[in-house]
Each structure stands twice: as C-alpha cells, then as structure tokens.
Amino acid sequence: MVFDGLLSNNVVDPKPKVSIAHLNGLRLPAHAEYFLRVDNEQQLFEGIVWATSRDLPVTVVGEGSNTVAHPFVRGLVIQIATLGLKLLHDDGCKLTVRAAAGENWHVFVSWTIEQGLYGLENLALIPGTVGAAPVQNIGAYGVEVASRIRGLRVCDLTNGEVSNLSPQDCQFAYRDSRFKSTDGKRFIILSVDFMLDRSAESILNYPELARALVDTTPTPSNVFDAVVALRRSKLPDPEILPNVGSFFKNPSVSSEQAQHVGREWPEMPQYPTASDRVKLSAGWMIDQLGWREATGQTGIGIYSQHALVMVNHDCGHTEDVLSLAAAIVASVEAEFAITLEMEPSIIGNPTD
Ligand code: EPU
C-alpha cells in the first residue's frame, strides 16, 4: 500500500484558496479550498493522505481542459503534472509505450508521429493530458483512444493500492468510461500504456479527412497534419477563446427512433455505431434552433463556426454556462424530443 507510513512522514504543503481559473476549459472564476500540483507519484500519494487524514475530498485534474468548475471546489484539488515516457515492448512491428498521466496529450501524440508510429494521429491537437484521455475516452475523426489502450496503472484513493487495469476493466464507451462513474472515481490514473504500430492502414472514414488526403497513401505525419488543419478550421483555440470542445455528446438512439427522426428531419446527420444504436448530430440540432452566435450579456455563448462548442468571450460565470446549457437542452427537447447530455466533467458542487 503506497500510503503506508505517509501520515507521519508527510512533506507536501497544499496551499489554501488557490484560483483554478486556468484549470478549467472555459476559464471560469473558481477557487480550490486547497491546491497541490504534483510532479511525481510520491507527492501525489502524500497529497491524498494529507487530504484524507483531514476528511477532505480529493479532486484530481490534469490541465482541466474538459471540465466545468463550480466557483468553489471543496477539499484538495491535485493537479497531476507527472512526466515520462517508457518503451515497454517492441517486436519490430508493434510497440507498447507507457506515458505518465501528466504528459500533455498533443505533445505525446507529436512524439509518436516523430517516431513514425501509427495509432494516435487522428487524435492530434486534443487539449488535455494523457491521464485525462481515458476518462472521457477522447475521440475524433474516426478513432477513440480506447482502441489504442493496452492498460492503465491506477491508484485506489480509498486504500492506496496501485494496480493495473485492462481495457475491459475500464468499461469504455462513447465519451465515457468507468472513471466517470461513482465506483470508478476512486481510481487515479497514474500512467497509460498505448499500443502503436510501425506500419498500418490509416483510418480515413471521416469524409473531410479522406478528402484532404485523397490521392496519397498517407503516413501518420500526413494524417496528423490534416487533422491539425481540420481542427484549426472548425474549432476555437482554447488559448484564445476558452472552451471545452464539444459541450454535448451526440445522442445515441435506437435504430427505430433514428428512422423516425430521419423521416421528420432528413437533413440531420446520423452515424451508425457498432451496436444497433445510431448517433445523431447534436451540433446540427443546436444549429437549426439558431443558437450559433447567440451570445447574451453574460459573455458565454455558442461558437460562431460550430454549434456544439460553448465559448467564454469575456468574463462568464459557471451559472451562465449551466443556464445556457439548460436552455439549449430544453429547446432541443421541445423541437426534437431528444435529451442532450453534457460532455465535460463538472468539478465542485453548487452548494459548497
Ligand atoms: N453541424 C451543423 N452545424 C454546426 C456544427 C455541425 O449543422 O454548427 C453538423 C454538420 O452537418 C456536420 C455535423 O454536424 O457535418 C458533424 O459535425 P462535426 O464533424 O464537427 O462533428 P461533431 O459530431 O459535431 C464530433 C466530436 C468531436 C470530434 C468530431 C470529429 C462529439 C461530442 N464530438 O463532433 O469531438 O472532433 O466529431 O470526429 O462526439 C470533443 O469531444 O470535444 C470534440 C471536439
């Protein structure tokens, strides 16, 4: 148990009342009751023991790029900034690389491309860290990260046990995993093992990506460049216009319901999935209802070029984000009889 002996030997020194505006994607004003940034796992374990011995809840973030923060987050917020890459296996064709949770996702993906490796190129330029990627099973341009994960090292907050989880243990689904459930929240992801290939077929089933690479046999680097260009053309740069990427999930409905929707709204994009469920385009629905560019007095609005992206133009607050989200959900429900679900994680509690 990694917590053994840490109570008497604790050297970490969390700071009280620290702003975490830079650690939530929409840059909402928010404070952690206590805050600690950890560069190594020992500090992380000490931080957990520091909090639990004081009966304080622990909230772990990477860069917070896919979180919406309430103004006050009770307990200890730990930012995981652990770095390190390790080659675990290489048979000349297939490799397994272990990346520490605090590695920046895009920097890590760029490194795999520099090595000429296939696997993560479709997931270029997604904000956030390696440790956050499995939590919401990041996905883009025809690839979900779950398809590239061999396993994870995790620490159980409740008892300090460090163990390995298989992909099956993680219950990955569309923008979802066990780590979002009450049961899974006890795990802190320490590192992730990725399966990469020296040669493979590029995945080009997203039409705009295929069009960008027509007439080539693309290398991972070609796909990476095309994905970066596509994302830059469609999505706002969070450094310039704070956002959390897609604010809602694309809703999944039965094939029967999808047929009904298709008869009523033939223009709405539909995406069949591996199961007999069909995903509908939330962006299309929100766009149809005129929410794009609908920025009110609050500074929070919908991005002018993509209706699925909420942005903070100025000095919006959490309550503005949640009330705009509720208004959008209600209008989509009224028009399409579909209930949208928020995509980012929420940290903190409105009553604290
Ligand atoms: N559309 C509109 N109006 C809009 C935006 C979109 O009509 O304002 C329609 C268009 O027909 C467009 C379609 O919606 O062709 C789909 O749009 P897009 O290709 O941008 O994909 P998305 O379904 O909106 C999803 C992911 C993105 C990912 C892209 C590409 C979710 C919640 N979002 O968006 O992921 O980059 O596909 O694979 O699944 C994220 O998770 O933060 C994210 C950006």
Side-chain angles (χ1 to χ4, degrees), residues 139-141 174-175 206 231 234-235 244-246 248-250 269 271 281 283-284 287 292 306-308 343:
Y141 308 107
Y174 164 63
R175 291 296 190 281
Y206 185 84
R231 287 189 78 92
K234 287 188 159 210
L235 300 168
V244 289
S246 300
F248 297 102
K249 295 183 192 179
N250 283 327
Y271 312 101
S281 170
W284 186 90
D287 200 5
R292 247 194 300 159
H306 203 301
L308 202 48
E343 197 263 357

Side-chain angles (χ1 to χ4, degrees), residues 166-289:
S166 70
Q168 291 68 34
D169 294 331
C170 301
Q171 297 160 15
F172 289 121
Y174 164 63
R175 291 296 190 281
D176 202 15
S177 74
R178 182 177 181 188
F179 307 109
K180 282 186 151 185
S181 71
T182 311
D183 152 66
K185 282 191 176 146
R186 70 177 194 273
F187 294 120
I188 296 180
I189 297 171
L190 301 174
S191 61
V192 185
D193 297 346
F194 294 94
M195 300 178 281
L196 303 165
D197 293 286
R198 288 201 198 279
S199 65
E201 290 273 306
S202 298
I203 296 175
L204 302 176
N205 51 23
Y206 185 84
E208 283 174 69
L209 187 58
R211 275 199 293 280
L213 293 163
V214 79
D215 297 334
T216 59
T217 307
T219 62
S221 172
N222 299 145
V223 176
F224 174 93
D225 289 344
V227 167
V228 167
L230 251 179
R231 287 189 78 92
R232 290 208 167 117
S233 70
K234 287 188 159 210
L235 300 168
D237 178 347
E239 293 301 320
I240 298 168
L241 193 51
N243 71 86
V244 289
S246 300
F247 195 87
F248 297 102
K249 295 183 192 179
N250 283 327
S252 159
V253 298
S254 66
S255 47
E256 212 174 44
Q257 200 181 352
Q259 275 176 15
H260 168 76
V261 167
R263 278 194 295 274
E264 202 146 344
W265 295 281
E267 310 284 305
M268 187 193 302
Q270 298 199 359
Y271 312 101
T273 67
S275 67
D276 73 341
R277 308 283 293 172
V278 177
K279 273 194 277 171
L280 305 176
S281 170
W284 186 90
M285 289 186 249
I286 298 169
D287 200 5
Q288 290 298 303
L289 294 167

Side-chain angles (χ1 to χ4, degrees), residues 19-348:
S19 168
I20 51 165
H22 63 296
L23 287 176
N24 70 87
L26 282 153
R27 303 284 184 265
L28 304 167
H31 282 83
E33 185 176 11
Y34 293 95
F35 177 79
L36 179 69
R37 180 187 148 108
V38 298
D39 300 319
N40 60 58
E41 290 179 3
Q42 184 65 19
Q43 289 173 350
L44 169 67
F45 303 144
E46 289 185 10
I48 296 168
V49 170
W50 184 94
T52 47
S53 65
R54 288 165 175 78
D55 254 342
L56 292 170
V58 173
T59 303
V60 170
V61 296
E63 292 168 10
S65 49
N66 198 45
T67 59
V68 172
H70 279 291
F72 180 70
V73 182
R74 199 170 79 73
L76 177 63
V77 174
I78 302 182
Q79 182 188 10
I80 301 221
T82 53
L83 298 180
L85 302 180
K86 191 171 169 191
L87 182 63
L88 297 185
H89 167 85
D90 182 358
D91 68 6
C93 300
K94 294 189 174 297
L95 299 86
T96 305
V97 174
R98 173 167 293 176
E103 288 281 348
N104 173 275
W105 177 258
H106 183 65
V107 171
F108 171 57
V109 174
S110 306
W111 176 84
T112 67
I113 301 303
E114 280 158 26
Q115 313 307 308
L117 300 173
Y118 286 79
L120 301 177
E121 58 277 17
N122 296 50
L123 301 176
L125 211 60
I126 296 182
T129 58
V130 163
V135 176
Q136 57 139 354
N137 185 16
I138 57 170
Y141 308 107
V143 174
E144 284 185 348
V145 75
S147 69
R148 288 285 156 188
I149 291 179
R150 181 175 294 286
L152 290 93
R153 273 177 67 250
V154 295
C155 172
D156 187 329
L157 262 177
T158 59
N159 58 16
E161 199 175 299
V162 171
S163 60
N164 294 303
L165 297 185
S166 70
Q168 291 68 34
D169 294 331
C170 301
Q171 297 160 15
F172 289 121
Y174 164 63
R175 291 296 190 281
D176 202 15
S177 74
R178 182 177 181 188
F179 307 109
K180 282 186 151 185
S181 71
T182 311
D183 152 66
K185 282 191 176 146
R186 70 177 194 273
F187 294 120
I188 296 180
I189 297 171
L190 301 174
S191 61
V192 185
D193 297 346
F194 294 94
M195 300 178 281
L196 303 165
D197 293 286
R198 288 201 198 279
S199 65
E201 290 273 306
S202 298
I203 296 175
L204 302 176
N205 51 23
Y206 185 84
E208 283 174 69
L209 187 58
R211 275 199 293 280
L213 293 163
V214 79
D215 297 334
T216 59
T217 307
T219 62
S221 172
N222 299 145
V223 176
F224 174 93
D225 289 344
V227 167
V228 167
L230 251 179
R231 287 189 78 92
R232 290 208 167 117
S233 70
K234 287 188 159 210
L235 300 168
D237 178 347
E239 293 301 320
I240 298 168
L241 193 51
N243 71 86
V244 289
S246 300
F247 195 87
F248 297 102
K249 295 183 192 179
N250 283 327
S252 159
V253 298
S254 66
S255 47
E256 212 174 44
Q257 200 181 352
Q259 275 176 15
H260 168 76
V261 167
R263 278 194 295 274
E264 202 146 344
W265 295 281
E267 310 284 305
M268 187 193 302
Q270 298 199 359
Y271 312 101
T273 67
S275 67
D276 73 341
R277 308 283 293 172
V278 177
K279 273 194 277 171
L280 305 176
S281 170
W284 186 90
M285 289 186 249
I286 298 169
D287 200 5
Q288 290 298 303
L289 294 167
W291 284 106
R292 247 194 300 159
E293 294 190 75
T295 308
Q297 301 298 309
T298 65
I300 300 293
I302 294 300
Y303 185 48
S304 58
Q305 290 165 65
H306 203 301
L308 202 48
V309 181
M310 198 181 283
V311 291
N312 187 359
H313 288 286
D314 197 357
C315 43
H317 288 78
T318 314
E319 60 192 284
D320 307 323
V321 170
L322 298 179
S323 60
L324 178 57
I328 291 173
V329 170
S331 73
V332 168
E333 219 151 37
E335 178 68 14
F336 301 102
I338 300 277
T339 305
L340 294 183
E341 214 181 294
M342 260 176 73
E343 197 263 357
S345 305
I346 298 199
I347 58 171

